[in-house]
Amino acid sequence: DGDTWVSVPGGAPWNMARVMACFDVPSAFGGAISRDCFGDVLWQASEQSGLDLRFLQRPAKSPLLAIVYETHPPKYFFVGDDSADLHFDVAALPAGWERAVRWAHFGCISLARPPLADRLVSLAERLHTQGVRISYDPNYRAAMDERYDAILKRMTLIADLIKVSDEDLRGLFRT
């Protein structure tokens, strides 16, 4: 009825990792979450899902929050300038992790937020050259304007699997 706010942990790549773990596929979410109550919920849900927690980083930064203010059709915005997600450090991942990866999933708002976007696309390209399969879900967001076009091109060139909806296509290909 619009009178209640509900907090639900999520995020497209994190959701994907949790689903894979539910199918007993060894999975992790490589990203950074806050050290507050929002980050705690993500950490606990990651642990309960069986994700490898060595890939979760917790910088002392605020959370990135998606505020969904209308559900049909979905309308939302993000809150989180200089938030924890932007401080993900690929160099801080466990030693030798790349040798165990078979698939790496990239997508959504993280690829539209510099400087994180450049680090993630570079990581995806490096993994691709090492034979890791890349899945890509652009999951269109309003921040993906013409500045996102170069990232879209780079990711589609290396992706083995692209998950995209009609809504995503309309947003990504504005013409």
Side-chain angles (χ1 to χ4, degrees):
D1 60 11
D3 293 335
T4 305
W5 286 95
V6 177
S7 177
V8 178
W14 182 77
N15 292 339
M16 174 70 80
R18 288 179 56 215
V19 167
M20 297 308 295
C22 288
F23 286 112
D24 292 325
V25 175
S27 301
F29 170 73
I33 59 174
S34 58
R35 294 183 187 177
D36 58 15
C37 60
F38 297 106
D40 290 346
V41 169
L42 286 166
W43 180 273
Q44 290 162 3
S46 298
E47 187 174 47
Q48 290 167 355
S49 297
L51 294 180
D52 186 334
L53 300 177
R54 296 175 301 155
F55 294 79
L56 265 177
Q57 300 169 9
R58 299 198 72 183
K61 295 290 183 176
S62 62
L64 173 65
L65 300 176
I67 308 299
V68 180
Y69 59 93
E70 202 170 298
T71 57
H72 299 289
K75 293 185 181 177
Y76 47 85
F77 59 90
F78 292 90
V79 177
D81 295 340
D82 195 34
S83 54
D85 61 305
L86 297 175
H87 294 272
F88 176 62
D89 182 2
V90 175
L93 292 173
W97 71 272
E98 293 176 8
R99 290 188 300 275
V101 177
R102 301 292 175 260
W103 280 88
H105 180 69
F106 294 85
C108 203
I109 195 67
S110 59
L111 292 180
R113 290 172 47 87
L116 177 62
D118 291 327
R119 289 194 309 268
L120 292 177
V121 174
S122 294
L123 173 60
E125 290 170 335
R126 188 174 83 231
L127 290 172
H128 175 72
T129 64
Q130 295 170 358
V132 173
R133 310 234 29 211
I134 304 297
S135 69
Y136 173 46
D137 179 2
N139 209 354
Y140 175 74
R141 300 292 184 249
M144 294 173 177
D145 56 20
E146 63 278 347
R147 294 169 294 181
Y148 187 77
D149 292 350
I151 288 174
L152 177 65
K153 182 177 182 178
R154 287 172 67 188
M155 288 302 297
T156 57
L157 287 172
I158 63 168
D160 295 286
L161 175 80
I162 299 173
K163 179 251 177 213
V164 64
S165 68
D166 291 344
E167 180 183 328
D168 293 332
L169 292 171
R170 280 191 294 279
L172 294 167
F173 297 101
R174 296 166 299 284
T175 59

